[in-house]
Amino acid sequence: MPSSCDSLMEDIEDMVSSSDPTPHERQSARKSIIPRARKKKELMSDEELQADSLIPGTQKIWMKTWGCSHNNSDGEYMAGQLAASGYKMTDDPTEADVWLLNSCTVKNPAEDHFRNSIKKAQEQQKKVVVAGCVPQAQPRMDYLKGLSIIGVQQIDRVVEVVDEAVKGHSVRLLGQKKDGGRRLGGARLDLPKIRKNPLIEIISINTGCLNACTYCKTKHARGDLASYPIEELVERARQSFQEGVCEIWLTSEDTGAYGRDIGTDLPTLLWRLVEEIPEGAMLRLGMTNPPYILEHLEEMAKILNHPRVYAFLHVPVQSASDSVLMDMKREYCIDDFKRVVDFLKERVPGVTIATDIICGFPGETEEDFEATIDLVKAYRFPSLFINQFYPRPGTPAARLEQVPAHVKKQRTKELSQVFHSYNPYDHKVGERQHVLVTEESFDSQYYVAHNKYYEQVLVPKRVEFKGKMIVVDVYEAGKHFMKGKPVEESKPFTPSIAMPLQKGEVSGLLQQGA
C-alpha cells in the first residue's frame, strides 16, 4: 500500500530540478561517477542481511523492457546504476523481490503486455517500479495507482526510487532535465550501465522530436526535441570503445532532427564520431524521418559510404498517399520520401533502406492503400515494418472515423504478402563479404554478423569469431538473412581495442583510477 508520504513525494522533481548539473558540470563530473558504497551493508554479515530484507540495496531485481533501442538504452542505464549500488539483477522473475517494468507506448499490444505484467507482479506480491513512455505520458492511469514511477528523463535517479519502493513508499519522478530553462537530452551519458550485449553500445543522441504526428503517443512521453551536446556523445563513444565495444547504435525518436535545438546538425556529429571508431568497428544510424534528412542528403551519402559506417538508414514512410500523410501530419509528401531513397541508392551503391508502413489509418481509401502497395513493389524494401493501425488514447487520430477492423486486417495481410513475394538477397549468393560478428541467433545455432549494408549474415558458432570482423563466402539466402562460410585462409580481425566486459558487468566503473 502507498505510505502517508506519497503526496509529499509525488512531485519531488520540482524541488530538485534546479540543482541538476549543467552540461559543463556533467562533463567535469565524469571522473567521479562511481556510486557511493553502502557502509551499512559492508558492516553486516550475510545472515544479518537475510534477517532484514528491508535494507535497500540487498534485493534482487528483474527488469523487463519493451520497445525501441532508446528504451533499451534507458534500461541498460537503470540496470547499471542498480547493480553498482548493490542490488542484484536477475533473469528470473520468480526469485526477484522487485520488478522494474520499462514500458513502450507505441502500440496497444505493448501497453497490454506491460499492464498484464504489473498485474502478475502484484499477484506474486512483488514490489513494482514502472518506467518508460506509458507512465510518463499517462501517470494517472488507474492501473498505475500507488506504483512508483521513474520518468524518461529521471533514469539517473532509479536507485532512489527503487530504495523507496522496497520500503513500501510510492515515489513518482516525472520532471524534465533543464539547464537555465532549456530542456536537456536526458540523464548524464556517463552513468554506469549494463549492456545487454557487451559488444554493442546504444547511444541516445536526442530525446523527443519536432513533429506532431496525429497517431503518436510517444510524443506525449518524450516531448519536443532536446539534443545532447556533441562533446558528451563523442566522449561516450570513446569510453565505450575503451570497454571493448565494437559496434555503436545511435538512437532517438528522430536522429535526422539532431542538433536543431542546440545550433548543430547530424552530419557534424557523425563526422566527429567517425574519428573515434577503431578500424573494423562499425556505427549504425537510427531512425530518421524524411523532412530533416532532406537537407543533409549530400553529407549523409558521404557518411554512409564511410568504411566504418553501415550503409543503412531507417526512414519510415508510413503511407504512400499524400492525403493520408497530411492527415497523419507527417510534414512531407511521398515525393520527398522517394527523393531521399533515390538519392541515397544512387550515391551509396547497395544501401539498405528500411521503412515502416501503417495499414488502415483513419480515412485511408482503397486508392491510398494501392499507392502504398505500388511503392513496396517498386522499391522492394529488404526490411519493412508493417503495422496495423491502433488508435492510441488521447491522440488526434483516435478521434477520427476509423477504418473497419476487418479492412485493416485485410490490408495488413495483403501488404505482408507483397513483402514476402520477393527475396532481396538471392543475387548475393556467391559473394565474398566482410562481416562483423556481434550476437547469437534466436535459435542459438549460429552467430549473427552484419555486412557493410547491415544485412544479416549467419556464420558458424565458433567462439573465436565473436566480436570479430571475418571474411565469408555467401552460400545461401533466406528472406531476412544470408548464410556465410568462413574463408579459411583469412584471419579474423579484432576491432575491439580492449577486452569486452563480461555479460552483466557494469560499464562506467573503469574510471575509478582515472
Side-chain angles (χ1 to χ4, degrees):
M1 284 291 289
S3 76
S4 58
C5 73
D6 281 4
S7 55
L8 198 114
M9 304 294 278
E10 183 85 27
D11 287 307
I12 198 167
E13 75 276 7
D14 294 338
M15 294 184 270
V16 298
S17 58
S18 60
S19 63
D20 277 353
T22 64
H24 177 71
E25 289 166 339
R26 295 200 228 179
Q27 200 57 21
S28 57
R30 281 190 74 257
K31 290 183 176 138
S32 56
I33 65 160
I34 316 305
R36 272 199 316 279
R38 299 172 181 275
K39 292 197 175 71
K40 197 192 290 185
K41 190 176 159 193
E42 284 167 11
L43 302 172
M44 296 186 175
S45 70
D46 282 347
E47 288 165 328
E48 285 176 300
L49 282 178
Q50 284 171 348
D52 181 3
S53 65
L54 279 184
I55 299 163
T58 64
Q59 289 75 17
K60 289 182 177 172
I61 297 177
W62 177 67
M63 184 169 73
K64 168 78 177 164
T65 293
W66 291 264
C68 66
S69 48
H70 193 164
N71 232 28
N72 277 283
S73 171
D74 287 353
E76 291 182 349
Y77 276 120
M78 289 192 281
Q81 291 168 88
L82 290 164
S85 177
Y87 286 102
K88 184 176 184 324
M89 303 306 293
T90 177
D91 291 331
D92 181 357
T94 56
E95 71 164 22
D97 305 289
V98 181
W99 284 17
L100 173 50
L101 304 172
N102 187 19
S103 63
C104 169
T105 192
V106 171
K107 291 191 277 191
N108 295 11
E111 184 171 345
D112 293 342
H113 286 172
F114 170 62
R115 186 167 46 230
N116 292 339
S117 296
I118 291 172
K119 200 171 159 204
K120 202 180 284 183
Q122 289 165 332
E123 285 165 0
Q124 294 177 34
Q125 312 288 296
K126 307 290 186 187
K127 304 279 187 193
V128 184
V129 175
V130 294
C133 290
V134 172
Q136 180 73 51
Q138 292 179 290
R140 303 197 186 282
M141 295 287 278
D142 275 353
Y143 70 89
L144 298 176
K145 266 202 176 104
L147 298 181
S148 288
I149 297 176
I150 301 155
V152 294
Q153 287 215 320
Q154 298 289 333
I155 58 169
D156 52 341
R157 300 178 64 198
V158 61
V159 175
E160 294 169 58
V161 177
V162 171
D163 283 354
E164 291 303 319
V166 163
K167 292 188 257 180
H169 303 157
S170 172
V171 185
R172 297 185 160 208
L173 303 184
L174 292 160
Q176 306 294 329
K177 293 260 180 278
K178 291 188 176 172
D179 172 27
R182 185 180 69 75
R183 192 160 162 262
L184 299 174
R188 278 181 12 221
L189 292 169
D190 56 5
L191 294 165
K193 76 189 308 192
I194 295 177
R195 294 186 185 94
K196 205 171 169 185
N197 182 338
L199 297 172
I200 297 174
E201 166 72 356
I202 306 172
I203 304 179
S204 142
I205 62 173
N206 54 269
T207 192
C209 70
L210 292 169
N211 295 6
C213 300
T214 55
Y215 55 80
C216 180
K217 192 80 180 160
T218 308
K219 178 80 174 189
H220 297 195
R222 299 276 182 184
D224 287 331
L225 181 71
S227 306
Y228 282 100
I230 286 180
E231 285 311 320
E232 288 186 31
L233 295 165
V234 169
E235 188 52 52
R236 180 70 218 176
R238 203 176 284 143
Q239 185 197 324
S240 308
F241 291 126
Q242 285 161 2
E243 292 178 337
V245 159
C246 62
E247 187 168 291
I248 284 186
W249 296 357
L250 299 186
T251 181
S252 80
E253 284 64 62
D254 186 355
T255 55
Y258 171 80
R260 282 171 169 253
D261 55 320
I262 56 170
T264 186
D265 57 35
L266 183 63
T268 306
L269 168 66
L270 295 175
W271 285 125
R272 286 291 309 280
L273 284 172
V274 159
E275 292 169 18
E276 302 295 329
I277 304 172
E279 188 188 345
M282 296 297 285
L283 175 71
R284 189 191 89 175
L285 298 184
M287 187 186 84
T288 176
N289 284 312
Y292 304 108
I293 211 70
L294 269 169
E295 63 199 69
H296 301 311
L297 284 179
E298 291 275 356
E299 285 301 294
M300 291 305 296
K302 288 178 196 162
I303 288 160
L304 293 173
N305 275 314
H306 192 283
R308 296 193 290 279
V309 179
Y310 285 119
F312 167 87
L313 206 56
H314 179 191
V315 190
V317 65
Q318 306 301 10
S319 171
S321 156
D322 283 344
S323 70
V324 172
L325 291 173
M326 195 179 285
D327 288 344
M328 290 177 170
K329 281 204 174 161
R330 288 292 286 166
E331 296 183 14
Y332 58 87
C333 60
I334 192 60
D335 283 347
D336 292 334
F337 173 79
K338 288 176 177 175
R339 194 144 55 90
V340 170
V341 178
D342 294 345
F343 185 93
L344 292 176
K345 276 178 170 288
E346 185 194 327
R347 300 293 182 91
V348 188
V351 68
T352 296
I353 303 289
T355 196
D356 302 9
I357 287 172
I358 294 172
C359 292
F361 186 81
E364 182 185 65
T365 64
E366 275 304 324
E367 198 182 353
D368 295 329
F369 179 63
E370 281 309 316
T372 301
I373 291 277
D374 291 343
L375 182 84
V376 174
K377 284 178 176 172
Y379 283 92
R380 297 164 70 95
F381 302 103
S383 181
L384 177 61
F385 303 95
I386 300 169
N387 300 295
Q388 186 175 315
F389 176 73
Y390 286 99
R392 300 295 288 124
T395 59
R399 296 193 294 271
L400 300 173
E401 192 178 335
Q402 304 296 308
V403 170
H406 70 277
V407 176
K408 289 194 286 191
K409 211 172 196 170
Q410 179 54 37
R411 288 178 186 172
T412 306
K413 188 178 168 188
E414 198 180 322
L415 187 60
S416 255
Q417 285 169 345
V418 171
F419 174 58
H420 284 283
S421 70
Y422 56 87
N423 289 324
Y425 306 129
D426 284 358
H427 67 286
K428 300 211 168 196
V429 173
E431 280 187 9
R432 181 161 287 193
Q433 300 182 350
H434 286 76
V435 298
L436 180 59
V437 184
T438 51
E439 43 205 318
E440 198 177 87
S441 61
F442 283 125
D443 62 6
S444 301
Q445 299 302 299
Y446 299 91
Y447 276 154
V448 177
H450 292 92
N451 60 21
K452 162 70 176 160
Y453 310 102
Y454 202 69
E455 295 162 337
Q456 190 167 276
V457 182
L458 303 179
V459 301
K461 202 171 157 188
R462 302 214 312 241
V463 72
E464 67 270 23
F465 290 163
K466 192 80 178 277
K468 304 285 194 292
M469 181 74 82
I470 65 172
V471 182
V472 298
D473 287 328
V474 175
Y475 66 89
E476 190 184 318
K479 174 65 181 166
H480 300 285
F481 62 86
M482 287 167 266
K483 285 184 183 173
K485 181 177 185 290
V487 174
E488 290 306 331
E489 63 270 21
S490 73
K491 280 182 68 178
F493 178 79
T494 308
S496 299
I497 57 173
M499 273 296 288
L501 302 181
Q502 295 300 304
K503 194 162 175 58
E505 199 177 336
V506 181
S507 148
L509 301 186
L510 297 181
Q511 302 163 28
Q512 201 148 19

